[in-house]
């Protein structure tokens, strides 16, 4: 077994797959697995899209950041040599040697050459020519940050360090030169690990694994960033070593696109698969309903028997128990009992403990009496048939047992563990849900989810079990590291038994499963991966990446998909209530308008007796009601917000800038006071119907103005009031009502308030249960003895602190350890049998070093609730779990893994508190988001209508494709045929192959490449550039100017130009630095052509693109909250001294730093650890530091020594309000809207029940043949041909070569005559696709089909896109006027034949067609102008008596008697009679009954047409 290769016996872990055979025997689990299997294709596409994104960022990282993370601040300006007699950091001579080197570096210089030189190349560098040297470069061990080479980056290694009172200037350097040549031999001297890793081999820099030196490391680092765990550390390393703003832009883009969009696509895919399961469950619902009917009948029979039984026995008791007053009394007892249980705390007094114990007994007795009354009242059998009553009985019985054991053994109750059963009484508080309807509905959803989560829990256990066993095979007993160096120690090597073992390991099944669960929670999974990488090799990365992809991205999202499905199923019951809430919300928003209340608040201008005040009121109203006034105020609010962002306690108060800010703030305050007074005058202050303070936005403005006034007058706590002034930036929210997209977001938030409140109540109740449980057992246990004195104690003394024994068990020398007379030592009070606590011993042996293990604790319910809230965000929960696992009781020294049973407690809390209860926030917000969307588009619709609405929304996203026409000229045609994919697909395949080769060549670039490799890669780039240039030239020659009509062609041309510029630049200038990397960045753009070629990726990419507008809306609201909290953070915490997590990269000292820090907190990056660190006071801190005269603040080392130290103390209690409110509002509420947006975008773009993306793509391909320039329109003449070529299901023609009559008949039969026609006579692509899809919907849904209401938003959009009023029927009628005239003449001839037998009418000369057209009388309205009625029955066409008029000659012909024209005079092919002012043509096809011809789609057989005119 080699130390660098994992244990290959992991293949035995495949045996654990055997339990998966049990899936077939578990129907519920089988359905969940089926949903995952059905979504594998889409999940694979999402993973491919994520991989594509990571590949692009990884290649970009290699181009720009390779080698940067090796740079560290050094104490010498160049590498130095070793002395002959000192070659290890563990030798005593090392510290004096480093001091001498720092003071006299020239005496130890390694090479006489420069460190780096721009004129060098890789083979001419002296570090390459002379080879690696036996030297090293001393590092400043006080600074663990990377630094910027060449003056870039935040950390420039400014300032000095002291060696023996000598100030030494630092420099930034790397163990590699600029070309990646190693400077030193890679031996383990002097550090105990490879010398070349000396700059990065530490935990702060992720042991050197986070870098962009090669594609593999860059990919792993980018994947870590996308997972939102540890990404800030990578970004800070980049900021310190490279340009600040570009690196922030890159990482924020990767976070937004990868973390918030692509990863949510996984949830969208799984949710879609879960929705598909509902159809399979419908067939089983019938059987379930039958079973439920039988159960209901059985319950009814039991209830009837019970009622009879009760009626015969204790009716009075039942009436007493069911009395509302008794119920309210029991509810009060439950609440009081909860309060009593929550009063327990650490260091509780004996009297208080006695009172709580007595109250506990009292409540136990009350609950026992209640149970007895219920049993007596309804009988034991009926009592036990109710699960809730059984649970109550369980609680009461266990409480009585606990009391009995307490009475028997007063000192054993606590250790018995039965006291924990008191916590179960808290579940009774859920009885309030019966009176709280919305909370009751939420609990119903939770209950339904719990039933399905049972199957998910089995899947989760199997998954953890499989990966735990696999991890054991990989890493068991291999994660052993040296305490000082961190180097892995192999099995059997020296120091293995005493090596450091990380808390997250795989040495046994319990901790392996716990570690897997830790990774699933996302907490520090990257640290576990790096430990595995250190212990084995890079192969371990595959294990952890697969665990994150399958476990975190898929399995854990499956849980959220189940929850969302249950919310969707339950949302139908609340739809009506929701609409009422929406209407109220909209009313409250629109009621702020001041234009509709003029009559109520103003006197009429005709009143001659207007008082002076009335005139002022009228003038004020005219001003504030003017739209320009509102725009001016909005502009001033923006300017005021900018000034607030520029304001900072760290500004020099005596500077011109600060004074001007103060004057501007005064001016804004006066303006806003004036605005407030004018509105008060116009509307009244409080008493009038539309008073100023009766508007919510005005109340907000009023409060802000008052705070501004108090701040200017310096009344109250100035800093806090100045921070509250930032609420003025909320005023732009009034503009949201004018933007429908933003209004949807805000409405969703407002509507979510009641639901979020319910979730908050549920969360508090669950947190309270876990908190009381934890306080009962863990209060006072999170302490230990640690410090300088403790670490200097002998092993025997440390052992005695850990396991103290009675004083009498110590010998004389051991008793002499204690200073009995010391004030802090209580040893003098111990008798011979007393066993002191670890804390008492620590106070004697290491005074003042009994400290907290972690900043949080379970000492009381309030602290426990706060701690549970923090770890419910999955941040820091592992450290709390370790503290609980190590604790051994109150005031006892903890030891590692003393109580591993607490692992199950914290895993259970994470499952309930983080993965279930807090995920309800996601559920309710997305549910309300969908309800708002339904109200604005899909409210009160049947399932068939919803399906049709989704299809229409899907169609509305259609876009025509530009089709390049075949050019003229033989050579251009050859080029055209050569490059067109549908003619020569191999050309496109070859180009795609070249793109892949180009990407591979970029990915093979790494730090330290030889010049030969670089030359080869450059030649490949030149060849590929020639190929791509040739491709562009051929296409330009073949397509002409049409080449630039396509967006992808423009993109390709830009990349080609950039590549050419890069090659030319490299030939002209040998070293162009970062410009070369920027130019090479164009080559990465070629990868995006893969998206165009791969359809599945294109669909997901389009989903991302279509979601950008909605994400921008949410992002605007998110930016507003970030803006407010950033200003508050600067005002409150900018003067704090650096401590804990607050450092140069993460602080509130500037507005930009605060914004970036809040972005970190929004991703959950150790926000609670940062908050806890801000509570600590640095040494020598002051409450409000003030700037000394003629100095500046000490922002960096370059400001010293003439500067004022920024040494403010901790933030205090305001930190709780600041961080907790930000987490609740932003993380739990606003960011969850991103999930809803991505789900909606995926739903609109995914394959539906009626149409699929393939169907629309086939349609657009055929459309492009008739609309090559993507004008969105085709002529009506081409429409029939187009429909004939569309493949099914949108197409419906079955004949190979149909005639025009066949096409027209088919269109008539399929209901396509209502396609709207634009004024120019063309039809729109959306209208055609909509009518074709409507035909499919009717065919699929049958009688259930019902078109959307005319006021539906989709209908309005379609109607808006139709700029004409005609339909296909009208246009075809006008175009066929000539055929109508022919039909008219044919009918006259037929009438003449009738006249020979029975003369009813006379034939009249109508003139030739040319004469009629020349006269201009052949129009739609001149074809028929008589007043006779035409009746149709089964046998004949009847003409009542009247006058028939010729439309051209205007000759009248009397009808002698009623005309009876037999049908047999007309054959099946006759054209018919022209009637109606709209030129309806009747007749034709008489063998099939009376049917309209191809231009009339109404077919009213046997009915009276009405008062139509007839033309003969």
């Amino acid at each position: 077994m080699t130390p660098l290769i994992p244990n290959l016996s992991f293949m035995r872990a495949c045996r654990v797959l055997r339990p998966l055979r049990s899936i077939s025997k578990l129907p519920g689990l089988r359905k969940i697995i089926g949903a995952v299997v059905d979504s594998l294709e889409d999940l694979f596409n999402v993973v491919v899209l994520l991989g594509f994104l990571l590949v692009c960022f990884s290649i970009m990282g290699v181009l720009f950041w390779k080698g940067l993370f090796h740079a560290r601040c050094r104490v010498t300006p160049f590498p130095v040599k070793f002395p002959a007699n000192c070659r290890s950091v563990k030798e005593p001579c090392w510290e004096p040697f480093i001091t001498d080197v720092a003071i006299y570096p020239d005496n130890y210089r390694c090479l006489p050459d420069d460190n780096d030189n721009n004129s060098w190349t890789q083979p001419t560098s002296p570090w390459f020519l002379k080879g690696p040297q036996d030297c090293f470069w001393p590092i400043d061990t006080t600074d663990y940050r990377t630094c910027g080479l060449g003056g870039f980056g935040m950390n420039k290694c400014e300032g000095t360090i002291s060696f023996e009172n000598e100030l030494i200037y630092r420099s930034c350097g790397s163990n590699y030169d600029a070309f990646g040549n190693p400077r030193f031999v890679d031996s383990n001297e002097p550090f105990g690990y490879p010398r070349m890793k000396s700059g990065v081999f530490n935990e702060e820099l992720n042991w050197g694994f986070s870098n962009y030196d090669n594609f593999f490391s860059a990919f792993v680092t980018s994947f870590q960033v996308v997972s939102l765990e540890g990404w800030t550390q990578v970004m800070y390393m980049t900021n310190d070593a490279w340009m600040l703003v570009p690196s922030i832009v890159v990482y924020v883009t990767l976070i937004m696109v990868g973390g918030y969009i692509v990863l949510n696509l996984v949830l969208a895919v799984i949710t879609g698969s879960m929705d598909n399961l509902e159809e399979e469950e419908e067939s089983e619902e019938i059987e379930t309903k039958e079973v439920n009917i039988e159960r209901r009948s059985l319950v009814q029979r039991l209830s009837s028997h019970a009622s009879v039984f009760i009626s015969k026995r204790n009716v009075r008791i039942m009436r007493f128990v069911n009395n509302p007053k008794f119920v309210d009394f029991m509810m009060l007892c439950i609440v009081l009992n909860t309060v009593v249980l929550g009063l327990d705390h650490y260091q509780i007094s004996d009297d208080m403990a006695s009172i709580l114990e007595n109250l506990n007994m009292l409540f136990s007795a009350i609950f026992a009496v209640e149970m007895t009354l219920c049993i007596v009242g309804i009988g034991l059998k009926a009592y036990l048939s109710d699960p809730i009553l059984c649970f109550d009985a369980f609680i009461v019985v266990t409480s009585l047992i606990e009391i009995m054991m307490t009475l028997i053994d007063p000192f054993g109750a606590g250790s018995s563990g039965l006291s924990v059963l008191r916590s179960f009484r808290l579940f009774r508080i859920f009885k309030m849900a019966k009176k709280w309807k919305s909370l009751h509905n939420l609990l119903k959803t939770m209950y339904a989810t719990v039933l399905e989560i049972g199957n998910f829990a089995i899947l989760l256990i199997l998954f953890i079990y499989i990966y735990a066993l696999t991890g054991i095979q990989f890493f068991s007993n291999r994660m052993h590291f040296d305490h000082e160096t961190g180097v892995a120690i192999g099995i059997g090597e020296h120091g293995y038994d005493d090596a450091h073992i990380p808390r997250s390991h795989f040495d046994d099944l319990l901790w392996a499963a716990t570690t897997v669960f830790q990774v699933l929670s996302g907490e520090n999974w990257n640290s576990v991966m790096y430990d595995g990488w250190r212990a084995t090799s890079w192969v371990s990365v595959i294990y952890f990446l697969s665990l994150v992809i399958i476990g975190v991205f898929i399995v854990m999202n499956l849980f959220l998909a189940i929850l969302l499905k249950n919310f969707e199923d339950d949302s139908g019951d609340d739809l009506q209530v929701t609409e009422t809430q929406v209407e109220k919300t909209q009313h409250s928003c629109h009621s702020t308008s001041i234009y509709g209340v003029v009559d109520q608040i103003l006197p009429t201008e005709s009143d001659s007796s207007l008082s002076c005040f009335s005139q002022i009121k009228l003038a004020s109203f005219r001003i504030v009601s003017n739209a320009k006034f509102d725009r001016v105020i909005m502009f001033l609010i923006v300017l005021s917000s900018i000034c607030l962002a520029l304001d900072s306690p760290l500004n020099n108060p005596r500077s011109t800038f600060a004074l001007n800010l103060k004057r501007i703030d005064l001016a804004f305050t006066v303006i806003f006071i004036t605005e407030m007074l004018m509105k008060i005058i116009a509307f009244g202050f409080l008493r009038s119907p539309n008073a100023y303070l009766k508007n919510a936005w005005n109340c907000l403005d009023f409060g802000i103005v008052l705070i501004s006034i108090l701040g200017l007058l310096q009344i109250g706590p100035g800093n806090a009031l100045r921070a509250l002034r930032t609420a003025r930036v909320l005023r732009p929210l009034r503009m949201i009502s004018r933007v429908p997209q933003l209004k949807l977001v805000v409405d969703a938030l407002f509507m979510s308030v009641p639901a979020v409140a319910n979730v908050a109540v549920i969360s508090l109740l669950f947190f309270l249960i876990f908190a009381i449980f934890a306080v009962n057992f863990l209060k006072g246990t999170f302490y230990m003895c640690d410090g300088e004195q403790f670490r200097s104690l002998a092993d025997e003394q440390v052992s005695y602190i850990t396991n103290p024994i009675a004083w009498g068990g110590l010998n004389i020398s051991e008793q002499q350890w204690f200073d009995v007379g010391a004030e802090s030592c209580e040893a003098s009070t111990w008798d011979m049998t007393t066993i002191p606590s670890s804390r008492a011993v620590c106070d004697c042996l290491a005074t003042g070093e009994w400290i907290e293990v972690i900043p949080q604790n379970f000492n009381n319910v309030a602290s426990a609730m706060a701690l549970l809230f923090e770890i419910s965000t999955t941040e820091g929960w592992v450290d709390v779990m370790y503290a609980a696992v190590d604790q051994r009781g109150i005031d006892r020294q903890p030891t590692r893994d003393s109580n591993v049973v607490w692992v199950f407690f914290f895993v259970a809390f994470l499952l309930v508190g983080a993965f279930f209860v807090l995920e309800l926030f996601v559920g309710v917000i997305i549910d309300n988001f969908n309800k708002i969307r339904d109200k604005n588009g899909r409210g009160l619709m049947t399932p068939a209508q919803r399906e049709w609405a989704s299809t229409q929304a899907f169609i509305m996203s259609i876009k025509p494709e530009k089709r390049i026409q075949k050019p003229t000229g033989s050579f251009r045609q050859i080029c055209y045929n050569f490059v067109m994919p549908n003619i020569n697909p191999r050309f496109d395949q070859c180009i795609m192959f070249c793109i892949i080769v180009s990407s591979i060549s970029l990915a093979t670039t790494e730090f330290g490449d030889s010049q030969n490799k670089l030359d080869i890669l450059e030649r490949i780039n030149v060849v590929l550039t020639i190929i791509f240039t040739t491709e562009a030239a051929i296409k330009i020659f073949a397509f002409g100017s049409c080449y630039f009509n396509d967006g992808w062609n423009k993109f390709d041309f830009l990349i080609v130009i950039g590549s050419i510029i890069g090659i030319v630049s490299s030939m002209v200038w040998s070293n162009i630095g970062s410009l070369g990397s920027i130019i090479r960045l164009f080559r990465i753009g070629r990868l995006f052509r893969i998206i165009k070629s791969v359809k599945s990726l294109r669909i997901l990419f389009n989903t991302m693109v279509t979601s950008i507008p909605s994400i921008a809306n949410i992002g605007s609201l998110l930016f507003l909250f970030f803006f407010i909290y950033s200003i508050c953070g600067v005002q409150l915490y900018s003067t704090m001294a650096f401590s804990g997590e607050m450092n140069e990269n993460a602080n509130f000292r500037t507005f930009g730093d605060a914004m970036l820090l809040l972005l970190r907190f929004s991703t959950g990056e150790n926000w609670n650890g940062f908050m806890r660190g801000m509570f600590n006071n640095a040494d020598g801190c002051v409450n409000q530091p003030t700037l000394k005269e003629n100095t500046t603040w000490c922002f960096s080392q370059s400001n010293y020594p003439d500067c004022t130290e920024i040494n403010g103390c901790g933030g205090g209690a305001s930190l709780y309000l600041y961080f907790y409110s930000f987490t609740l509002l932003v993380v739990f509420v606003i960011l969850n809207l991103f999930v809803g947006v991505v789900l909606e975008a995926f739903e609109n773009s995914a394959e539906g029940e009626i149409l699929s993306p393939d169907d629309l793509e086939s349609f657009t391909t055929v459309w492009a043949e008739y609309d090559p320039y993507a004008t969105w329109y085709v002529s009506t003449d081409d429409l029939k041909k187009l429909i004939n070529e569309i493949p099914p299901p949108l197409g419906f023609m079955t004949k190979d070569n149909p005639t025009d009559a066949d096409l027209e008949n088919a269109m008539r039969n399929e209901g396509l005559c209502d396609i709207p026609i634009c004024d120019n006579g063309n039809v729109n692509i959306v209208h055609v696709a909509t009518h074709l899809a409507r035909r499919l919907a009717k065919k699929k849904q049958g009688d259930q089909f019902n078109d959307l209401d005319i006021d539906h938003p989709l209908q309005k959009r379609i109607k808006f896109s139709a700029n004409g009023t005609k339909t296909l029927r009208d246009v075809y009628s006008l175009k066929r006027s000539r055929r109508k005239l022919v039909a008219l003449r044919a009918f006259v001839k037929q009438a003449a034949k009738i006249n020979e037998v029975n003369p009813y009418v006379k034939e009249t000369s109508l003139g030739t067609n040319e004469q009629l057209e020349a006269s201009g009388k052949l129009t739609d309205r001149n074809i028929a102008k008589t007043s006779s009625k035409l009746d149709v029955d089964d046998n004949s066409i009847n003409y009542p008596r009247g006058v028939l008029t010729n439309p051209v000659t205007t000759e009248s012909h009397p009808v002698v008697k009623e005309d009876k024209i037999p049908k047999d005079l007309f054959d099946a092919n006759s054209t018919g009679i022209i009637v109606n002012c709209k030129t309806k043509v009747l007749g034709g096809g008489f063998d099939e009954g009376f049917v309209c011809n191809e231009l009339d789609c109404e077919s009213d057989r046997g009915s009276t047409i009405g008062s139509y005119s007839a033309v003969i």
Side-chain angles (χ1 to χ4, degrees), residues 817-872:
W817 295 341
F818 300 88
D819 185 2
V820 179
E823 181 179 356
S824 60
C825 183
E826 300 178 354
S828 59
T829 63
W830 302 340
D831 55 32
M832 301 302 290
T833 60
T834 299
I835 300 178
S837 65
S838 298
R839 178 176 184 175
V841 177
C842 181
D843 289 339
C844 294
L845 300 182
T847 304
E849 294 188 350
W850 186 253
I851 60 175
E852 295 178 331
V853 176
I854 56 175
Q856 307 99 317
N857 58 66
F858 289 101
N859 288 349
N860 53 69
V861 172
S863 299
M865 293 278 284
L867 190 156
L868 292 176
F869 172 75
E870 293 175 22
I871 67 175
S872 66

Side-chain angles (χ1 to χ4, degrees), residues 921-1091:
F921 281 98
V922 184
V924 297
I925 290 172
I926 294 178
D927 184 49
N928 283 281
F929 179 84
N930 293 333
K931 288 176 182 177
I932 286 284
R933 183 188 61 184
D934 290 346
K935 178 62 181 176
N936 289 276
R938 294 197 234 168
L940 291 177
M941 291 192 296
T942 63
Q945 282 182 307
R946 287 176 181 271
E947 187 179 56
W948 171 233
S950 298
T951 302
Q952 275 195 295
F954 184 39
I955 291 174
M956 290 298 290
S957 63
I958 193 172
K959 291 184 179 179
E961 297 178 355
K962 291 185 179 181
R963 183 59 55 88
I964 299 176
Q965 298 296 316
K966 194 170 185 178
T968 58
S970 58
F971 187 68
R972 290 188 65 191
Q973 288 182 358
I974 293 174
C975 295
Y976 177 87
N977 296 333
F978 181 70
V979 298
M980 287 300 292
N982 56 341
I983 300 176
N984 183 22
R986 293 186 177 179
F987 176 80
D988 213 35
Q989 295 170 1
C990 292
I991 294 298
M992 191 58 57
F993 174 77
C994 293
I995 292 174
I996 295 175
V997 172
S998 175
S999 304
I1000 293 175
S1001 66
L1002 286 172
T1004 55
T1005 303
E1006 58 182 308
F1007 186 55
D1009 281 336
S1010 65
Q1011 190 63 42
N1012 292 333
K1013 180 180 177 181
L1014 295 176
D1015 292 340
I1016 293 174
L1017 293 178
E1018 185 62 26
R1019 293 189 184 99
I1020 293 175
N1021 176 46
V1022 171
V1023 172
L1024 292 174
T1025 302
I1026 293 174
I1027 293 175
F1028 295 131
T1029 304
T1030 305
E1031 176 203 13
I1034 294 176
K1035 286 185 176 181
I1036 292 174
F1037 180 76
F1039 303 155
S1041 60
C1042 296
Y1043 173 84
F1044 295 100
N1045 293 336
D1046 184 75
W1048 284 105
N1049 289 340
K1050 295 178 183 177
F1051 183 72
D1052 292 344
F1053 186 77
L1054 179 64
I1055 293 175
V1056 167
I1057 295 299
S1059 301
I1060 294 175
I1061 293 175
I1063 293 175
V1064 174
S1065 301
S1066 62
M1067 292 179 178
V1068 176
W1069 299 285
S1070 59
N1071 189 357
I1072 55 178
S1074 299
L1075 180 61
S1077 299
I1078 296 175
I1079 295 175
R1080 286 193 294 271
L1081 191 62
F1082 281 96
R1083 296 163 58 186
I1084 302 178
R1086 296 170 184 164
L1087 281 172
F1088 286 92
R1089 292 185 59 179
I1090 298 177
I1091 294 179

Side-chain angles (χ1 to χ4, degrees), residues 28 335 505 557 609 683 1205 1220 1229:
V335 174
H505 59 81
N557 273 325
S609 62
F683 303 112
E1205 192 74 34
Y1220 284 13
V1229 179

Side-chain angles (χ1 to χ4, degrees), residues 30 117 251 260 285 315 380 398 415 422 484 487 526 529 726 731 798 994 1025 1027 1155 1236 1349:
R30 186 171 66 247
N117 194 307
Y251 283 104
Y260 287 139
E285 285 183 358
V315 178
L380 181 61
T398 52
S415 61
R422 303 177 187 177
E484 297 180 358
V487 176
N526 54 315
M529 179 183 68
T726 61
R731 286 183 173 179
V798 173
C994 293
T1025 302
I1027 293 175
M1155 289 285 286
D1349 296 333

Side-chain angles (χ1 to χ4, degrees), residues 1326-1468:
V1326 175
H1327 299 151
V1328 176
T1330 300
H1331 281 74
L1332 291 174
R1334 182 183 284 111
R1335 180 190 66 85
L1336 284 180
K1338 289 180 178 179
K1339 183 177 180 181
K1340 175 182 180 295
Q1341 298 175 355
D1343 297 336
Q1344 296 180 352
F1345 177 80
N1346 189 11
D1347 209 345
L1348 303 179
D1349 296 333
I1350 192 65
D1351 58 347
H1352 191 281
L1354 288 174
Q1355 292 287 57
K1356 293 179 180 179
R1357 287 175 61 190
I1358 294 175
K1359 183 178 180 181
F1360 177 77
S1361 62
N1363 56 5
T1365 59
K1366 297 180 181 179
T1367 62
L1368 194 62
R1369 178 187 302 108
D1370 301 327
V1371 174
Y1372 278 4
S1373 298
L1374 291 174
K1375 288 185 178 181
R1376 298 189 58 181
S1377 296
R1378 186 186 299 273
R1379 292 186 60 187
K1380 297 174 184 178
L1381 180 59
V1382 173
L1384 175 62
R1385 296 171 65 91
F1387 176 74
V1388 173
K1389 292 181 180 180
Q1390 293 289 349
K1393 294 180 181 179
I1394 300 174
N1395 196 27
E1396 294 176 359
V1397 181
N1398 188 8
Y1400 295 140
V1401 295
K1402 295 180 180 180
E1403 181 177 7
T1404 303
S1405 175
L1406 299 176
T1408 64
N1409 296 337
E1410 291 75 9
Q1411 292 174 339
L1412 294 174
E1413 292 175 353
S1415 66
K1417 295 182 179 181
L1418 186 58
T1419 62
D1420 190 26
R1421 294 185 177 275
N1422 289 335
I1423 292 177
K1425 293 183 179 179
T1426 69
S1427 61
S1428 54
K1429 293 184 177 181
L1430 175 63
D1431 295 332
V1432 181
D1433 58 27
D1434 292 338
N1435 299 318
S1436 62
I1437 303 175
N1438 303 323
Y1439 288 90
R1441 294 180 181 274
V1443 179
L1444 304 178
T1445 305
N1446 188 298
V1448 180
T1449 63
T1450 67
E1451 298 177 3
S1452 300
H1453 305 279
V1455 178
V1456 180
K1457 61 181 180 178
E1458 187 178 31
D1459 295 331
K1460 293 284 186 178
I1461 305 177
K1463 290 175 56 177
D1464 55 9
L1465 292 178
F1466 295 90
D1467 57 20

Side-chain angles (χ1 to χ4, degrees), residues 306 309-310 313-323 326-327 330 334 365-386 388-394 396 428 431 434:
F309 181 71
I310 293 172
R313 296 181 57 183
N314 303 314
V315 178
R316 293 183 179 179
I317 295 178
M318 284 307 302
R319 287 178 180 174
F320 176 76
V321 172
N322 294 325
N323 189 291
F326 181 79
V327 174
M330 294 307 302
I334 292 173
I366 293 174
F367 296 140
V369 171
E370 179 199 20
M371 180 188 71
T372 305
L373 291 175
C374 290
I375 293 176
V376 173
I378 65 174
L380 181 61
K381 185 175 182 180
Y383 184 89
L384 295 178
S385 64
D386 191 329
I388 297 178
L389 294 178
C390 289
F391 184 70
D392 286 346
F394 170 76
V396 172
R428 290 186 173 190
K431 289 183 177 181
K434 295 181 180 180

